Amino acid sequence: MDKPLKLGLLGFGTVGTGVYRILQRNRAVISARAGVGFEIAKILVRDLNKPRAVEVDRSILTADPREVLDDPEIAIVVELIGGLEPAYQYIREALSKGKHVVTANKAVIATYGARLIRLAAENGADLYYEGAVGGGIPIIKPLRESLVGNRIEEVMGIVNGTTNYILTKMTREKADFAAVLAEAQALGYAEADPSADVEGFDAAHKLVILASLAFQKPISVSQVYREGVSKITQEDIAFAEHFGYTIKLLAIGKRHPQGIEVRVHPTFIPSRHPLASVHGVFNAIYVRGDAVGELMFYGRGAGDLPTGSAVVADIVDVLRNCRQGTHHRVETLWEDVPVLSIDDVRTRYYIRLHAVDKPGVLAQVAANFGAEGVSIESMVQQGRGEGQPVPIVFITHDVEERRLRASLARIATLPVVKDIANVIRVEGGGR
Ligand code: NAP
Ligand code: HSE
C-alpha cells in the first residue's frame, strides 16, 4: 500500500469527534476500501484545554490554523468548524494550495459553493460536502453522480433535524417549544446559533445546495423564500390534526417551464403522506427525475456519527482519487433559468384568524376571499364568542400567493376581524 495520506481536521466538536471515532474504529476497513492508509496529523480547535468527547493524543490538537494550512504534508483538510468565517477563508486557502477539502458546512457551500467549486477545479483539488445536507443520508452523491442521466423536476424534504425534533415533540407530547429546543441542543443537533435552525436559515442553505445540484443553477440564499417554525402554536397543530394534516418544515424546490421555485416554510401535509411519518431528528428528501421517477432518501439528519458517516465517505472518495492520481471527476454545468418570486407560487393555504362571533361575519370574510379569486375548500369555527373573538380557520384551493395576500390584506381591515393569527401553506393533494 502507498504511504499514508495526512489529514488535518478543522474543528473537533459534535461532528469532528464523530468523524474521529469512525476513522479510529473502522481504520483497517476504511484504509482497505480506500486502497491507501491515512493519518490524522493535526486537529484545529479553539480551546486546547476543553474536555473532549473522545480519547485523543493531545499533541495533535492545535489552536493555530497555520499548523494545518501551511503543512505541505497535509493533503486533505476536513472543515468542521461551522459558520461562514473563518471556515470560508480556511477552505479557500486550502483549495488554493491544492489541498483537497471535505466539509459539512452548508452555510459556506450555500453561500460560496460555485466560487469554491471553480477554485478547486483551478487548483486540481477536490471539494466534497455530503455531510452538509441530510446528516448521514447520501443525497449529494446521488444528485451529483447517480442521477446524472435525469432531468430533475422536484426536490422536496425535511432537511432540518432540530425543527423536525421540535415539531414532532410539540405534536406528539404537546411539549413546550423552548424546552424541546434545549433538548435538541443538548443532543448536538442544533447549530451554534439555534435561530439558524428555528428560523429556517439552515434548511434554506440546504435547499440552495440541493436545488443548485438538481436544477444545475447557482442559486443564492437570498433567492429562497424562508419562514421558520417559531410562529407555530399548539392551536395550529390541533387544527392541522382536525383537517387530517401534520405540520412539517419543508424545503421545496420545483422546476416549472417558466422557472424554478425555492421555498422553506412550515407546511401542512396530509397525515398519510410519507413525509408526515418522518419523526424526530430524521430527515427525508423526495426527488423526482424524468427517467427514474420518484425517489425517497431517509435517515438521521444530524448527530455525531450519522454526519460523521457522510464525512468519512467523502474522505474515502478523496483518498481513492489521490491513490489514482485523479480529482474533480464531476463536471458542473450551469443552466440559465430564472428563480420565481414567492408571489408567483400556486399552492393551497391554511388561514387561522380571530373574528367577532355574530351573524354576517363569515359572509364578509368569504366575500373578500372571493373578490381576489380565492376559493375555500374547508372552514371551521371553534367555540361561541360571547362577546369575544373566536378562531375561524379556512383551507383554500390552489391559488397564487399574490392573490391570497391581496385577499388577506382586505380581510385584515374588516372591523369584525381581530387578527390574522397564522397562514401556513398546504402541500400534497387533499386529505
Ligand atoms: P460544534 O460542535 O460547535 O464544533 C465546532 C468545532 O469547531 C469545535 O471543536 C470548536 O472548537 C471549533 N471552532 C469553532 N470556531 C473556531 C475557530 N474560530 N477556530 C478554530 N476552531 C474553531 O459544531 P458541529 O455541530 O460539530 O458542526 C460542525 C459543522 O458541521 C457545521 O458546519 C455544522 O453546520 C455541520 N453539521 C453539523 C451537524 C450536527 O448534527 N451537529 C450535522 C450536519 C452538519 P472548541 O471545541 O475548542 O470550541
Ligand atoms: N442543525 C442541523 C439540523 C444539523 O438540525 O438539521 C444538521 O445539518
Side-chain angles (χ1 to χ4, degrees), residues 106 131-132 134-135 159-163 189-191 197 202 206 283 301-303 307:
K106 46 270 163 135
V159 292
N160 183 265
T162 302
T163 47
Y189 303 155
E191 296 302 302
D197 296 298
D202 178 77
K206 290 166 176 167
N283 283 190
T307 313

Side-chain angles (χ1 to χ4, degrees), residues 110 113-115 117-118 208-209 211-213 215-221 223 260 332-337 339:
R115 227 182 273 184
I117 288 168
R118 208 178 321 119
V208 163
I209 297 171
S212 299
L213 285 173
F215 307 130
Q216 295 281 288
K217 152 95 190 161
I219 295 166
S220 75
V221 181
Q223 288 174 304
I260 288 164
T332 309
L333 303 169
W334 299 127
E335 282 182 31
D336 188 17
V337 240
V339 174

Side-chain angles (χ1 to χ4, degrees), residues 225 227 401-410 423 425:
Y225 176 81
E227 278 176 32
E401 176 109 3
R402 64 161 55 79
R403 283 177 168 259
L404 190 273
R405 292 279 159 210
S407 69
L408 293 180
R410 299 167 73 123
V423 178
R425 294 168 192 81

Side-chain angles (χ1 to χ4, degrees), residues 2 11 16 46 60 64 66 106 129 159 167 173 177 192 209 212 235 272 280 317 323 345-346 358 370 379 396 408:
D2 298 332
R46 207 170 16 191
I60 66 169
D64 179 2
R66 309 286 14 126
K106 46 270 163 135
Y129 48 91
V159 292
L167 289 174
E173 299 167 21
F177 186 98
I209 297 171
S212 299
E235 262 186 304
R272 57 171 169 67
D317 244 330
R323 181 173 60 90
V345 165
R346 258 184 93 77
K358 67 177 190 191
M379 194 282 294
T396 72
L408 293 180

Side-chain angles (χ1 to χ4, degrees), residues 141 241 285 316 394:
K141 192 168 186 134
E241 279 172 1
I285 300 145
V316 171
F394 299 89

